[in-house]
């Protein structure tokens, strides 16, 4: 997408990133994106991230061209959960550069952000970079993604190179 273009963005998280998620929902909506907030919508320190993160990632998988942002305390559990959704490539991003590389090299549709380690200002910069960056479509990256997809779909391991 060209810088400044808008898209549908699915968000899901938990209490540990509640304030960052609320801030991102407002920021992305104000930026013209079609934001789908899968929750939580109220603060509950006993909520469980899979409830909201799996819904956000599943929605991205079913909504071609959309992207997702999942948030929790560290981002690790959310990353693991999102990657369990068939067809989703989720990447951890705690810097703008990692968000860009997740798109450029991995064609990630979802990023995970740790709300306890990422303030709202940085989260906005990460989200902006993630949404503005296209997949490079370089042959080596396309090949690697195909290997991952073949394993996900059929359990086929890529051949070991003969060197």
């Amino acid at each position: 997408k060209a810088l400044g273009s808008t898209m549908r963005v699915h968000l899901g998280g938990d209490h540990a990133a509640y304030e960052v998620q609320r801030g991102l929902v407002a920021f992305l909506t104000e930026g013209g994106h079609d934001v789908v907030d899968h929750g939580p919508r109220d603060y509950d320190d006993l909520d469980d991230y899979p409830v909201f993160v799996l819904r956000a990632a599943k929605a991205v998988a079913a909504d071609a061209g959309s992207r997702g942002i999942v948030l929790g305390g560290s981002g690790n559990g959310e990353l693991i959960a999102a990657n369990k959704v068939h067809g989703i490539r989720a990447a951890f991003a705690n810097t703008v550069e990692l968000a860009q590389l997740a798109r450029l090299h991995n064609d990630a549709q979802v990023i995970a952000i740790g709300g306890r380690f990422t303030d709202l200002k940085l989260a906005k910069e990460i989200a902006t970079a993630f949404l503005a960056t296209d997949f490079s479509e370089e042959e080596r990256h396309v090949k690697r993604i195909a290997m991952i997809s073949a394993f996900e779909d059929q359990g086929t391991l890529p051949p070991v190179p003969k060197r």
Side-chain angles (χ1 to χ4, degrees):
K1 303 282 180 219
L3 189 61
S5 67
T6 60
M7 65 182 60
R8 184 167 298 118
V9 185
H10 297 273
L11 284 94
D14 75 359
H15 63 277
Y18 181 77
E19 293 300 326
V20 174
Q21 184 173 338
R22 299 276 49 87
L24 281 179
V25 167
F27 173 72
L28 295 171
T29 300
E30 290 164 11
H33 294 283
D34 179 7
V35 176
V36 181
D37 182 6
H38 294 271
R41 291 195 181 84
D42 299 302
Y43 181 83
D44 176 357
D45 64 354
L46 297 177
D47 66 10
D48 298 308
Y49 64 84
V51 172
F52 308 109
V53 168
L54 289 170
R55 283 173 169 77
K58 189 171 180 179
V60 172
D63 188 6
S66 70
R67 304 254 175 91
I69 301 172
V70 297
L71 305 104
S74 68
N76 285 321
E78 297 74 23
L79 176 65
I80 292 166
N83 273 314
K84 296 298 181 184
V85 174
H86 188 269
I88 288 298
R89 287 178 304 282
F92 181 75
N94 65 348
T95 68
V96 168
E97 184 178 17
L98 283 177
Q100 291 167 327
L101 289 172
R103 290 291 309 137
L104 284 169
H105 293 182
N106 308 113
D107 197 16
Q109 311 103 311
V110 175
I111 54 167
I113 297 174
R116 290 187 177 140
F117 303 94
T118 309
D119 65 20
L120 181 56
K121 179 181 181 294
L122 180 56
K124 289 176 181 179
E125 293 169 3
I126 289 168
T128 298
F130 176 67
L131 298 178
T133 304
D134 282 326
F135 177 49
S136 70
E137 299 192 38
E138 288 181 34
E139 184 179 333
R140 65 191 174 118
H141 299 306
V142 170
K143 180 177 88 173
R144 292 167 184 165
I145 292 169
M147 289 177 185
I148 294 167
S149 295
F151 182 78
E152 180 180 33
D153 294 339
Q154 294 100 31
T156 305
L157 289 169
V160 176
K162 296 178 175 120
R163 293 186 188 159

